[in-house]
Amino acid sequence: MPYRRLPNTDKARIAALEKAVEMEYKYSKFELAASYKTLNEARSFLNKFKTAYSRYHYSYGEQIKYAGKYQSLVRTARLYVSHFIQVLNMAIIRNEIKKEHRVYYGLDINCTTVPDLLNEADLLSWGEKIIAGENRRVSQGGSPIYTPTIAKVAVHYDIFKEAYHCQQGFRQNASRSLALLSAMREEGDGIILDIWNQVENYFSSLPMEIRMDKCREYGIIYYYRTGEKKA
């Protein structure tokens, strides 16, 4: 026995609602299998749902489109910050810079390793500390590090920082859009279920195959179980 199943994707929900509201243009008010009130509610909801759907996919698309460029900027900034810390540590080993000056950079004075920079938030934090620390040390008479210079590090760090906040904006927009879309799904499923129940009830006296064809006009989709054969 064929069975129906509510849509489980947003595209399928939109398709089901569009199919149902189209019937208003095909039949008169007195021939509709679902009430005019319900179909009018479906049309109003459909417009809002399609708008929310489009906004989410636009926001998500912008996030993905920017992601490639963003990751490239992250890698470059990480390279410069990491390289600067390595050069600083080598200068300390050669006694060109006092190890106590590591505190200017937020580093432990006895630690010779590079901090973990894999996390973007950590890279943002350490980049700021390293730039401030080098400027402080040089302002007190210390010799600047040249390979790379802190100015070069700062250029790539600032580009990364701007991109970081931009990407965070894309992520937040996509997250808000998805939350709004998700909150609407239950209401949409309720409307679709109401329409389908009304339609099946309206055509309940017809033979099964004719009834199913009539119901399909309103967007109801029937499935056959494994081993069942379509007529």
Side-chain angles (χ1 to χ4, degrees):
M1 183 70 182
Y3 68 98
R4 71 184 195 191
R5 186 172 64 207
L6 284 173
N8 57 8
T9 68
D10 294 327
K11 287 184 71 174
R13 289 182 179 92
I14 290 171
L17 289 167
E18 286 179 335
K19 195 78 172 177
V21 300
E22 282 174 6
M23 294 301 103
E24 284 192 73
Y25 304 101
K26 187 172 182 178
Y27 297 106
S28 70
K29 179 178 179 180
F30 304 102
E31 296 175 309
L32 289 171
S35 72
Y36 179 79
K37 177 182 177 182
T38 301
L39 293 177
N40 192 49
E41 179 186 1
R43 186 191 303 104
S44 176
F45 174 83
L46 176 61
N47 291 333
K48 292 184 291 185
F49 191 72
K50 286 172 73 174
T51 298
Y53 178 81
S54 296
R55 283 178 178 169
Y56 166 66
H57 282 275
Y58 174 79
S59 299
Y60 183 71
E62 288 297 295
Q63 177 187 332
I64 296 301
K65 184 168 66 176
Y66 190 68
K69 176 182 178 181
Y70 172 67
Q71 288 303 321
S72 176
L73 297 176
V74 172
R75 286 192 295 270
T76 302
R78 184 181 292 124
L79 176 66
Y80 272 88
V81 172
S82 174
H83 191 189
F84 185 90
I85 296 172
Q86 292 175 59
V87 173
L88 170 66
N89 285 331
M90 286 189 290
I92 292 172
I93 291 172
R94 294 193 300 267
N95 293 319
E96 296 171 358
I97 297 175
K98 295 179 180 179
K99 72 174 186 178
E100 288 77 15
H101 288 173
R102 283 198 179 104
V103 298
Y104 294 169
Y105 305 87
L107 298 165
D108 187 291
I109 62 171
N110 294 312
C111 183
T112 59
T113 59
V114 176
D116 187 356
L117 302 175
L118 288 178
N119 185 286
E120 293 161 20
D122 289 337
L123 176 58
L124 197 68
S125 175
W126 278 110
E128 184 175 348
K129 291 177 182 177
I130 295 305
I131 293 168
E134 176 69 354
N135 288 333
R136 178 184 175 187
R137 187 181 63 81
V138 172
S139 70
Q140 294 181 1
S143 299
I145 291 173
Y146 287 104
T147 52
T149 64
I150 200 62
K152 191 74 172 179
V153 174
V155 166
H156 291 287
Y157 171 79
D158 287 342
I159 293 172
F160 154 68
K161 183 178 180 180
E162 182 179 351
Y164 173 84
H165 291 300
C166 187
Q167 183 71 343
Q168 288 297 105
F170 285 136
R171 288 172 181 168
Q172 289 169 7
N173 287 340
S175 179
R176 282 194 297 265
S177 299
L178 178 59
L180 175 61
L181 186 63
S182 299
M184 299 177 73
R185 287 170 181 158
E186 184 176 353
E187 181 183 356
D189 290 345
I191 293 172
I192 293 170
L193 180 61
D194 188 17
I195 292 172
W196 287 9
N197 286 340
Q198 290 184 43
V199 170
E200 286 194 330
N201 183 63
Y202 185 86
F203 294 120
S204 61
S205 61
L206 298 176
M208 185 180 73
E209 290 303 325
I210 297 175
R211 182 175 73 244
M212 288 172 62
D213 286 341
K214 291 289 187 181
C215 290
R216 287 188 182 104
E217 286 191 83
Y218 285 83
I220 300 178
I221 299 175
Y222 291 99
Y223 297 88
Y224 290 83
R225 294 176 176 84
T226 303
E228 286 184 335
K229 185 177 180 181
K230 294 184 180 181

